[in-house]
Amino acid sequence: MEDLSMKRSWQSRDWSRFIKLFRGLTFYERFEQAIILTLIALIMLVTAIATIHLIGAVWHLVVDVGIDPINQPSGPAGALPVFRDQRVA
């Protein structure tokens, strides 16, 4: 239990130090920090959404289409239909 209280006190000290540093900034420096934090949040959001879409696409290929990623024939004949040249019949 003592470890948890130590962790909380470390976090509160770190947060209070951040507040002190932020108060010492000029208006323009605060604006820059706000823009940086906004961009970081947007990048994290886009990355999370792209990861979720990728997981969904792989899930669809493996479960719904029935592709076994471990047991695939090698060579061009074993390529996924997505990567096959559609002009060749």
Side-chain angles (χ1 to χ4, degrees), residues 7-82:
K7 184 177 180 184
R8 286 185 182 164
S9 67
W10 175 80
Q11 289 174 346
S12 65
R13 281 184 287 149
D14 196 39
W15 185 252
S16 63
R17 190 177 80 195
F18 173 74
I19 296 294
K20 285 180 185 176
L21 290 174
F22 193 75
R23 287 183 181 160
L25 298 177
T26 65
F27 176 75
Y28 184 74
E29 290 171 336
R30 288 181 186 179
F31 174 73
E32 284 180 332
Q33 291 297 317
I35 295 298
I36 289 170
L37 292 174
T38 303
L39 289 174
I40 288 172
L42 284 174
I43 291 169
M44 289 173 58
L45 180 68
V46 167
T47 304
I49 290 171
T51 303
I52 290 169
H53 280 276
L54 178 64
I55 290 170
V58 170
W59 182 262
H60 171 71
L61 281 175
V62 172
V63 174
D64 294 340
V65 178
I67 294 175
D68 185 10
I70 297 173
N71 190 16
Q72 287 291 313
S74 61
L80 294 175
V82 175

